[in-house]
Amino acid sequence: MRYKAVLFDLDGTLVDSIPDIAQGANLMLHDLGFAALSVEQISTFVGKGTHHLIDLCLKEVTQQASIDPTLQQQARRLFAHHYDHQTKHSISKVFPGVTEGLDRFQQAGCRLAVVTNKPMQFVPDLLRLMHLDHYFDLLVGGDTCAEKKPHPMPFLYACEKLGVSPADALVIGDSGNDSIAARQAGIDVLLVPYGYNEGKDVQDLDCDGIVFSIVEAAQWAAQPNTTH
């Protein structure tokens, strides 16, 4: 294995969490007196953190370019309440090939971390319910650092905490947030095409490879690379 550490995005990379996110968002909108949005549309709002998702939902239903701060705060409280409850009774699923891929990375001696823009309060419960928590040495949430992805800070923080150089780490994600942050951090990055990339095609993003499962990512990382 060419890498000492692997840093994983969570939503759209390891876990198909849109059912829970959409449920939380639509319950929030219902409480505020707005109509529900489609799961497909909400999926394009995922990537830059919960506050960004909520703001996009509110802009869509109000058809306003700016959001009333009082409405914004109320929406954030409601979403947190509903999503916290939803996470504890999750209908999300682990993507095919995730556990097998994590097993291969772990067996190869890699240190594993989750680096997500999801607020940390939701991360441990989701990983436990998905039976993935035992794989990870470190969890980095969207509020762990002063900046979120696509800023490189969360990936650099993870490398520091794991005691590895960015050159010895690999990022696996599903969006431009991951590829931009990884590139700026000097970390190799693989992307999966099945996740939530804000409605954009991962084929257009700067990365070291596109893989169709975490198993394929582990196979890619195990191949010799004379340039690494």
Side-chain angles (χ1 to χ4, degrees), residues 18 22 37-45:
I18 277 296
L37 298 173
S38 70
V39 174
E40 291 74 20
Q41 185 168 22
I42 293 172
S43 72
T44 67
F45 297 163

Side-chain angles (χ1 to χ4, degrees), residues 7-29:
L7 317 178
F8 294 89
D9 176 53
L10 179 54
D11 299 304
T13 299
L14 299 178
V15 178
D16 184 9
S17 50
I18 277 296
D20 290 329
I21 293 171
Q23 179 78 347
N26 278 326
L27 287 171
M28 169 197 76
L29 292 173

Side-chain angles (χ1 to χ4, degrees), residues 14 29 41-43 45 57 84 90 102 111 127 129 134 140 160 199 204 215 221 224 228:
L14 299 178
L29 292 173
Q41 185 168 22
I42 293 172
S43 72
F45 297 163
C57 287
D84 182 61
S90 181
L102 292 174
R111 303 200 70 192
L127 289 172
L129 283 165
H134 63 284
V140 179
E160 180 182 355
D204 299 328
V215 170
H228 183 76

Side-chain angles (χ1 to χ4, degrees), residues 38-116:
S38 70
V39 174
E40 291 74 20
Q41 185 168 22
I42 293 172
S43 72
T44 67
F45 297 163
V46 174
K48 290 185 170 64
T50 297
H51 288 175
H52 183 71
L53 177 142
I54 291 168
D55 287 351
L56 291 178
C57 287
L58 293 175
K59 287 179 180 179
E60 181 65 28
V61 297
T62 63
Q63 295 297 298
Q64 300 292 323
S66 60
I67 304 163
D68 176 76
T70 302
L71 176 63
Q72 185 182 57
Q73 290 303 315
Q74 187 179 6
R76 289 177 180 182
R77 288 194 298 271
L78 287 168
F79 180 84
H81 167 74
H82 289 302
Y83 185 64
D84 182 61
H85 181 269
Q86 188 65 31
T87 300
K88 290 178 170 58
H89 304 82
S90 181
I91 54 175
S92 296
K93 295 181 180 178
V94 175
F95 284 110
V98 166
T99 54
E100 297 89 339
L102 292 174
D103 282 337
R104 293 195 187 189
F105 279 120
Q106 196 171 62
Q107 289 162 6
C110 296
R111 303 200 70 192
L112 308 182
V114 165
V115 182
T116 174

Side-chain angles (χ1 to χ4, degrees), residues 197-216:
N197 187 29
E198 300 173 298
K200 301 170 186 173
D201 190 339
V202 295
Q203 301 286 342
D204 299 328
L205 300 177
D206 181 18
C207 65
D208 295 288
I210 294 173
V211 292
F212 291 87
S213 69
I214 304 303
V215 170
E216 189 177 325

Side-chain angles (χ1 to χ4, degrees), residues 87-162:
T87 300
K88 290 178 170 58
H89 304 82
S90 181
I91 54 175
S92 296
K93 295 181 180 178
V94 175
F95 284 110
V98 166
T99 54
E100 297 89 339
L102 292 174
D103 282 337
R104 293 195 187 189
F105 279 120
Q106 196 171 62
Q107 289 162 6
C110 296
R111 303 200 70 192
L112 308 182
V114 165
V115 182
T116 174
N117 281 346
K118 183 189 292 293
M120 183 59 101
Q121 71 182 96
F122 303 123
V123 177
D125 281 345
L126 179 58
L127 289 172
R128 278 195 295 270
L129 283 165
M130 298 297 106
H131 306 291
L132 298 177
D133 54 304
H134 63 284
Y135 286 108
F136 297 103
D137 301 293
L138 177 69
L139 306 179
V140 179
D143 46 4
T144 300
C145 300
E147 301 284 352
K148 297 181 178 69
K149 300 178 293 183
H151 197 283
M153 185 183 292
F155 287 143
L156 294 172
Y157 172 86
C159 288
E160 180 182 355
K161 289 295 181 182
L162 293 173

